[in-house]
């Protein structure tokens, strides 16, 4: 099995655990951190995503200033926290990691500059800009 398949399998397994923590599926906010965030609603997990994104930036800056194995591990840990909390948001909105992976796959081979220009053009056409 390829590392990509292993990674998507790990994300799918984690997503399934998160699903079991939803209040509608019996997730107990008293015993589960995920259930607590989901019970509190979007403001709680969206705040955590913002906090974790900031911690990713800070860890990356630390790694730039002082490259080390520990600094690299810190960055990986912070990105893991960001992904985890993002997965809680996906679950809340009825989405799966596979949806994100499919979007990334769709973008493979596409210039980021072209992709951004296309999105802006589509937004202009829709009157969003």
């Amino acid at each position: 099995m390829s590392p990509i398949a292993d990674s998507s399998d790990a994300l799918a397994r984690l997503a399934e655990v998160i699903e079991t923590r939803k209040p509608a599926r019996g997730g107990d906010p008293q015993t589960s951190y995920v259930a607590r965030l989901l019970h509190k609603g979007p403001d709680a997990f969206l705040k955590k995503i913002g906090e974790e994104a900031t911690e990713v930036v800070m860890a990356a800056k630390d790694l730039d200033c002082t490259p080390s194995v520990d600094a690299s591990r810190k960055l990986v840990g912070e990105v893991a926290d960001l992904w985890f909390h993002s997965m809680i948001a996906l679950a809340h909105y009825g989405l799966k990691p596979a949806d994100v992976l499919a979007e990334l796959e769709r973008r493979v081979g596409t210039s980021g500059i072209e992709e951004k220009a296309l999105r802006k053009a589509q937004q202009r056409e829709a009157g969003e800009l």
Side-chain angles (χ1 to χ4, degrees), residues 82-120:
L82 177 59
W83 287 12
F84 175 75
H85 289 89
S86 296
M87 289 178 65
I88 293 171
L90 288 173
H92 174 80
Y93 294 110
L95 300 166
K96 305 250 183 249
D99 298 317
V100 177
L101 294 173
E103 176 60 15
L104 291 171
E105 184 66 32
R106 184 190 68 75
R107 294 180 185 186
V108 170
T110 302
S111 161
I113 294 169
E114 291 171 11
E115 173 77 19
K116 187 172 183 177
L118 177 62
R119 276 187 274 137
K120 281 190 174 185

Side-chain angles (χ1 to χ4, degrees), residues 4 7 10 38 40 45 64 67 81 91 101 103 122:
I4 292 172
S7 298
L38 290 168
K40 288 180 179 181
F45 57 77
D64 280 339
D81 290 345
L101 294 173
E103 176 60 15
Q122 289 170 337

